[in-house]
Amino acid sequence: MYHNPVLLKQSVDDLVTNPDGIYVDCTFGGGGHSREIVSRLSEKGKLYAFDQDLDALKNNFDDERFTLINQNFRFLENSLLMYGVSQVDGILADLGVSSHQFDEAERGFSTRSNAPLDMRMNVMQSLDAKKIINEYDEEALADIFYYYGELREARKLARDIVHHRKSKTIETTEDLKKLFSYLPPHKVNKFYAQLFQAIRIEVNQELDVLKEMLVQSYQILKPGGRLVVISYHSLEDRLVKRFLKNGMFEGEPERDIFGNYKKAFELVKSKAIIPDDKEIEENSRARSAKMRTGIKM
């Protein structure tokens, strides 16, 4: 079961402006966005979709205008070059973890199930959550919890983990949660969501991968091409917002003698688009989604 595509109409409306164009769906998942994009294309149009998760390949569909590439979207530019594509008309990235990945208990993404500490989107990679929790030093763990989970008590959490693992390896999600059983009940759900998010981001290098994808997107988009990104937490959204503003993630862009800087994108709307109440009611995972669309200058 893959989640219903979030902001489906809004995102594809923003993306597809030329039915004859070449488009990219960076996060194929259940294929909901891809199918909608293809439905908007003419016979000349083309869509390339990416997904590193082997399970997502089962959702492939047969259409000569569509190609599914089993790769992480950090390899966007080189992968497209293998198909003879150097420029595209639009790129969509829905950054959410799929319902399928959460619901497959053995993947270790969910806070609700007892499962091996895994959290790999690409099951072929060696780094998993178990290695991070049992092998990273205290300082590295604290940084992950603070920067990726925005947990203020990060240093204490890291210290508790390092102390416990000296006597027993932390094997499962339940083993990890038991270390923090002292938390008051009203704080538990939010705390575990932040903790698991932090570990998942580190396992999959999600923020680094996002940065690489955004830079490559700018390079391969045609002038006037569109980049549509749907993010689900503030760490992602800040990166997307800043990159769409000036093509950078940190620091200040160079300005001309009049104090103006060269813009990377023109924003379709100044504020992020969010799902309406009806969509959130039908799909609870849409509640934190924010969509931003930029037109390459």
Side-chain angles (χ1 to χ4, degrees):
M1 178 64 185
Y2 283 76
H3 67 240
N4 294 328
V6 175
L7 293 166
L8 177 63
K9 184 178 186 303
Q10 297 94 322
S11 61
V12 181
D13 282 351
D14 272 9
L15 181 74
V16 180
T17 57
N18 174 18
D20 296 338
I22 300 173
Y23 295 91
V24 177
D25 179 355
C26 289
T27 45
F28 177 69
H33 282 111
S34 284
R35 286 181 172 85
E36 180 63 23
I37 294 167
V38 169
S39 76
R40 310 277 188 100
L41 300 181
S42 70
E43 293 181 359
K44 297 178 182 178
K46 183 69 179 177
L47 173 65
Y48 296 89
F50 286 73
D51 207 301
Q52 63 181 333
D53 191 339
L54 293 174
D55 284 350
L57 301 185
K58 301 170 185 175
N59 300 316
N60 197 0
F61 59 91
D62 186 23
D63 191 299
E64 61 184 14
R65 299 167 294 175
F66 176 72
T67 299
L68 178 56
I69 302 170
N70 182 210
Q71 269 290 10
N72 188 308
F73 59 60
R74 76 189 313 167
F75 305 116
L76 176 66
E77 188 172 16
N78 284 341
S79 296
L80 290 174
L81 283 174
M82 293 178 66
Y83 289 88
V85 176
S86 58
Q87 284 198 309
V88 301
D89 295 87
I91 298 170
L92 169 67
D94 177 350
L95 303 176
V97 180
S98 72
S99 299
H100 172 77
Q101 289 168 326
F102 273 116
D103 294 341
E104 290 284 301
E106 66 272 13
R107 301 289 292 271
F109 286 103
S110 175
T111 62
R112 301 188 305 272
S113 304
N114 186 24
L117 281 170
D118 193 329
M119 302 194 197
R120 292 173 297 170
M121 292 183 182
N122 177 2
V123 296
M124 305 301 287
Q125 74 178 42
S126 59
L127 181 64
D128 60 11
K130 180 181 176 183
K131 183 172 288 189
I132 288 168
I133 292 299
N134 289 284
E135 297 182 16
Y136 276 29
D137 64 30
E138 185 176 319
E139 184 177 0
L141 285 173
D143 284 347
I144 290 167
F145 299 151
Y146 183 77
Y147 291 111
Y148 296 164
E150 300 181 292
L151 290 160
R152 287 178 293 179
E153 62 272 40
R155 298 215 170 273
K156 181 185 185 309
L157 303 178
R159 194 161 53 247
D160 288 347
I161 288 170
V162 170
H163 174 74
H164 180 86
R165 75 190 190 191
K166 289 177 181 177
S167 57
K168 185 178 180 183
T169 302
I170 302 168
E171 300 272 357
T172 68
T173 54
E174 203 61 36
D175 290 342
L176 180 62
K177 289 167 65 176
K178 283 178 181 177
L179 300 185
F180 310 111
S181 57
Y182 56 80
L183 289 168
H186 67 280
K187 289 188 175 182
V188 166
N189 289 341
K190 183 179 180 182
F191 169 79
Y192 287 139
Q194 290 173 279
L195 179 67
F196 276 48
Q197 172 185 292
I199 300 166
R200 192 198 76 226
I201 288 174
E202 176 65 15
V203 169
N204 299 290
Q205 300 293 296
E206 291 177 29
L207 299 185
D208 289 336
V209 169
L210 174 58
K211 288 179 181 179
E212 292 176 32
M213 183 274 288
L214 291 172
V215 170
Q216 292 176 54
S217 293
Y218 181 77
Q219 292 169 347
I220 66 175
L221 275 171
K222 298 175 181 177
R226 294 186 169 211
L227 174 60
V228 182
V229 184
I230 303 170
S231 59
Y232 293 82
H233 56 75
S234 59
L235 299 176
E236 294 173 337
D237 185 56
R238 281 199 292 267
L239 289 176
V240 173
K241 182 179 179 180
R242 186 161 177 79
F243 187 77
L244 288 177
K245 181 180 179 182
N246 56 34
M248 300 175 66
F249 301 111
E250 55 189 30
E252 287 296 322
E254 291 185 10
R255 296 177 183 267
D256 62 24
I257 59 173
F258 302 106
N260 301 313
Y261 62 84
K262 183 180 179 182
K263 293 168 68 174
F265 292 88
E266 185 72 47
L267 298 180
V268 171
K269 286 194 170 66
S270 58
K271 292 185 177 181
I273 301 300
I274 60 175
D276 60 24
D277 292 341
K278 183 175 184 295
E279 180 169 3
I280 293 171
E281 185 179 342
E282 293 173 353
N283 180 9
S284 62
R285 290 195 171 120
R287 67 184 179 274
S288 57
K290 289 184 176 181
M291 185 186 89
R292 298 185 188 272
T293 302
I295 303 172
K296 181 177 176 178
M297 302 292 287

